Amino acid sequence: MAPSSRTSFVLASRASKLAQIQTNIVRDGLETTFPALSFGTSFMTTEGDKNQSQALYLLGGKALWTKELEVALKENVVDMLIHSLKDVPTTLPHGCEIGAILERENPVDSLVVKQGLPYRTLEELPEGSVVGTSSVRRVAQLRRSFPGLAFLDVRGNLNTRLAKLDAPDGPYTALILAKAGLVRLGMGDRITADLTPPILFHAVSQGALAIEIRADDQEARELCKALTHQETQWKCLAERALLRELEGGCSVPVGVSTSLSQIDKSAGKLTRATLEITGCVTSLDGSVHVQDTLSQEVESIQGAEELGKNLATKLMVNGAKVILDDITQDRRKRASEAETAE
């Protein structure tokens, strides 16, 4: 039911082309569902957008992409924040909450080969080929299967990254990018091949959009309910619970793959399903890889989150904690070296 006291809401996101497209997807959904209300948009540049020179691994957590937006939300300048859920910290600031998780695009990563080159798979790339990605998760996992490839950081929005890839004098043979972003930008034709488990497990919540709202904004919460896709919600919240327990941030090599089966619904609402979640943690050089899977019938969001937490505990006992501790030490050392160099 549409709220009665407010008739207009402002949606905000980062200023990149992809973020604007994603915000417009949400706005269009709200306008279709609530035609009597009006929905405006506002786009902001975040710290993560401003710092395009330093590796994400050294920059730290996901708040880089959300902090400025959350200030505007808490000060009532805007009413809803539209995020790629994979960029949202697993613990939100006090007074903020996830109001909706929309139906997920295909969450896999994709190989994009430089224009004019004949290669169709990672296996076909010549030894020493340079593959661009800013994700230590991708690098760590791919080093296990492709030790002959070289990996190089690449920053910028998708258009910028593709321009760097295709530049005749550029170093890159290929990039690894999230399929969902390419599809939403209308660049699906650039995808050379999808990279799926067990070769590459995707990031937590990859491919899903989320709406962040003020925790005391009941009107916005009611609007968000209409856009929530429960199957995506259960899977993504299980993944986020796994990551939260592992204390993994934006630049930690945690990969996942999640599925729902034997789905039961009542009055159109999800009431029970078998949830299977696989998680992995990989050392930065790819030499150590800890992976496990749990499957269980769940009947609520809480049940899904509990399964994710249980998988995290299992991974930690089996060696993930040692990997994550080593990564934390390595990041501190390299960040300190970078500061000294400056």
Side-chain angles (χ1 to χ4, degrees):
M1 188 173 77
S4 56
S5 58
R6 280 152 71 194
T7 59
S8 65
F9 295 80
V10 177
L11 284 60
S13 76
R14 294 162 60 191
S16 72
K17 185 177 179 183
L18 178 59
Q20 293 189 42
I21 287 172
Q22 293 176 165
T23 301
N24 291 340
I25 289 171
V26 176
R27 181 201 61 201
D28 293 348
L30 288 167
E31 287 179 343
T32 299
T33 310
F34 303 100
L37 303 179
S38 67
F39 299 93
T41 56
S42 175
F43 302 107
M44 306 178 192
T45 301
T46 66
E47 181 59 34
D49 298 308
K50 293 171 187 172
N51 189 333
Q52 292 291 323
S53 58
Q54 218 173 345
L56 286 179
Y57 175 65
L58 300 181
L59 281 173
K62 300 182 180 187
L64 286 167
W65 313 113
T66 58
K67 187 176 179 182
E68 287 92 342
L69 291 164
E70 284 167 341
V71 169
L73 179 68
K74 293 174 82 169
E75 292 181 352
N76 295 292
V77 176
V78 301
D79 302 297
M80 301 179 185
L81 305 181
I82 313 306
H83 302 297
S84 292
L85 185 53
K86 73 179 178 68
D87 293 334
V88 179
T90 54
T91 301
L92 297 181
H94 178 72
C96 299
E97 66 179 45
I98 298 296
I101 300 174
L102 281 69
E103 185 171 4
R104 193 179 209 168
E105 280 277 0
N106 190 331
V108 301
D109 291 303
S110 295
L111 174 70
V112 179
V113 172
K114 187 188 196 93
Q115 283 187 331
L117 295 181
Y119 314 118
R120 304 304 302 167
T121 64
L122 280 171
E123 288 81 359
E124 292 180 11
L125 297 185
E127 185 144 339
S129 293
V130 176
V131 177
T133 177
S134 298
S135 162
V136 295
R137 168 188 57 84
R138 293 170 183 149
V139 173
Q141 291 187 59
L142 291 175
R143 275 182 172 148
R144 297 179 63 226
S145 302
F146 304 97
L149 297 178
F151 296 92
L152 184 64
D153 197 62
V154 57
R155 295 287 309 277
N157 60 42
L158 276 176
N159 286 314
T160 300
R161 294 187 203 191
L162 289 170
K164 290 179 179 179
L165 169 66
D166 294 331
D169 58 347
Y172 305 102
T173 301
L175 302 181
I176 310 294
L177 299 166
K179 179 169 186 161
L182 289 163
V183 169
R184 290 187 183 123
L185 278 168
M187 296 179 177
D189 60 329
R190 284 303 310 265
I191 294 172
T192 306
D194 289 338
L195 304 174
T196 57
I199 293 297
L200 186 56
F201 288 85
H202 60 75
V204 164
S205 304
Q206 188 159 302
L209 300 183
I211 306 175
E212 183 178 358
I213 60 173
R214 291 181 291 276
D216 61 359
D217 191 345
Q218 184 59 33
E219 293 171 320
R221 185 180 294 114
E222 287 301 315
L223 298 180
C224 286
K225 285 180 182 177
L227 297 190
T228 293
H229 184 258
Q230 280 190 293
E231 286 90 335
T232 299
Q233 181 187 45
W234 285 25
K235 287 190 283 188
C236 285
L237 291 181
E239 294 171 12
R240 284 172 62 80
L242 163 74
L243 186 59
R244 187 182 302 115
E245 205 71 13
L246 292 174
E247 297 183 339
C250 190
S251 295
V252 171
V254 177
V256 293
S257 180
T258 313
S259 65
L260 280 181
S261 60
Q262 297 177 301
I263 294 171
D264 288 341
K265 291 189 175 185
S266 175
K269 295 292 184 183
L270 189 57
T271 57
R272 182 188 296 113
T274 298
L275 175 61
E276 181 175 287
I277 177 170
T278 298
C280 66
V281 179
T282 313
S283 64
L284 294 177
D285 63 2
S287 64
V288 184
H289 180 80
V290 179
Q291 179 180 319
D292 220 318
T293 301
L294 288 181
S295 180
Q296 184 176 308
E297 184 179 276
V298 296
E299 298 181 347
S300 65
I301 288 170
Q302 292 73 24
E305 291 181 322
E306 192 64 29
L307 188 63
K309 288 171 63 176
N310 291 343
L311 178 58
T313 300
K314 198 171 183 184
L315 289 169
M316 293 288 263
V317 169
N318 291 339
K321 187 177 189 307
V322 175
I323 296 173
L324 294 173
D325 287 347
D326 286 347
I327 288 169
T328 299
Q329 289 183 0
D330 179 75
R331 182 185 289 113
R332 285 175 182 159
K333 177 185 174 185
R334 288 170 62 179
S336 176
E337 289 172 350
E339 285 178 14
T340 303
E342 290 174 6

